[in-house]
Amino acid sequence: MRLQLQFRFTLWIMLVLTASFELQSQTRPYQEIVSKSDRMTVDSLVIAAYKNSYLLEGLREGITVAEEKTFQESMHWLSNLRFGVQFLNLPTNPDYNGGSIIPTLGVNISLDLEGLVTLPSRISGAEAGKRVIENELLKQKRILRTWVESKYFDYLQSLELLKLQYAILESQEEQMKLVKARFEGGESKIEDYLLIQNAIAQTKQAIVRAEIEAKRIERELAIATNEKENLNGLMER
């Protein structure tokens, strides 16, 4: 008899779940699960995460340093260029001993040929170092975007599960009223009443776990993006 009651109750729960999922599929088709507002929210959270990431900030500073190094290498040849200026006093007439002289200017230019030859390779090395940092920055941005998107949709999933659990709880409480009325009227047994009571307790426990999970994910996103206020409106969907 108890197995029959459990089977009937399990079948009833399955019918409630099936009806809930059918209702959701009618009101929210699969292709509309990720709405335009969701995509805009995700993009906003990703941009905020980019701004608040210490790792990305360090990589951006590394790119600035690499750009400065490239510039310095490209201008390094100037440091190897040497100018020499010399003033000479030469007599106007070598046969005249009166000491009449005119000033002349001498200029010397020296260049480090070895440094000039290796200049292109040094510039290429500096540019390669910059590209490595830029590629790492793009990689970390993709990783961070994937993490934010995953957490955001985990958060939405938690909210949808909460709605489903609340709907199940409401149905169970209505069933509880019917079972209690039948029990008080002598049309049902105590096992029926205890069975539905236990199901309600389990559903409430599931709701508590889902609420904690949703708050945990919300907190993780808030720490990464520093924009907790953008998530508060999701509970009102």
Side-chain angles (χ1 to χ4, degrees), residues 211-229:
E211 288 177 342
I212 293 175
E213 178 66 12
K215 291 179 179 179
R216 182 187 64 80
I217 298 173
E218 179 187 10
R219 182 58 183 166
E220 288 182 358
L221 283 172
I223 293 173
T225 64
N226 198 27
E227 291 192 359
K228 183 177 180 180
E229 64 276 7

Side-chain angles (χ1 to χ4, degrees), residues 45-57 60 144 222-227:
L45 292 173
V46 169
I47 292 173
Y50 285 170
K51 293 179 180 178
N52 287 279
S53 172
Y54 294 113
L55 176 60
L56 298 187
E57 180 63 25
R60 285 191 287 264
L144 184 55
I223 293 173
T225 64
N226 198 27
E227 291 192 359

Side-chain angles (χ1 to χ4, degrees), residues 18-32:
T18 302
S20 299
F21 281 120
E22 288 179 352
L23 180 60
Q24 288 183 351
S25 63
Q26 292 174 1
T27 58
R28 196 175 186 185
Y30 175 78
Q31 59 269 24
E32 295 181 1

Side-chain angles (χ1 to χ4, degrees), residues 151 154-163 165-166 203-221 228 235:
K151 288 297 179 180
D154 286 345
Y155 184 71
L156 291 185
Q157 176 179 279
S158 297
L159 298 184
E160 292 299 324
L161 289 176
L162 270 175
K163 292 179 182 179
Q165 292 290 346
Y166 283 130
T203 302
K204 288 182 177 180
Q205 292 176 3
I207 289 175
V208 170
R209 288 192 295 267
E211 288 177 342
I212 293 175
E213 178 66 12
K215 291 179 179 179
R216 182 187 64 80
I217 298 173
E218 179 187 10
R219 182 58 183 166
E220 288 182 358
L221 283 172
K228 183 177 180 180
M235 286 294 293

Side-chain angles (χ1 to χ4, degrees), residues 93-113:
N93 186 356
D95 298 330
Y96 178 67
N97 295 324
S100 176
I101 59 174
I102 61 173
T104 60
L105 180 66
V107 178
N108 296 324
I109 300 177
S110 63
L111 184 63
D112 183 7
L113 294 180

Side-chain angles (χ1 to χ4, degrees), residues 44-81:
S44 176
L45 292 173
V46 169
I47 292 173
Y50 285 170
K51 293 179 180 178
N52 287 279
S53 172
Y54 294 113
L55 176 60
L56 298 187
E57 180 63 25
L59 291 173
R60 285 191 287 264
E61 292 179 356
I63 291 175
T64 301
V65 173
E67 290 175 345
E68 180 64 24
K69 182 178 180 181
T70 302
F71 175 76
Q72 291 177 357
E73 290 291 352
S74 65
M75 302 301 293
H76 185 68
W77 66 275
L78 289 176
S79 64
N80 296 323
L81 186 63

Side-chain angles (χ1 to χ4, degrees), residues 176-192:
M176 179 74 166
K177 294 177 182 179
L178 295 176
V179 171
K180 184 178 180 180
R182 294 180 59 188
F183 174 72
E184 292 176 348
E187 300 177 4
S188 179
K189 296 183 178 180
I190 187 64
E191 288 83 0
D192 296 336

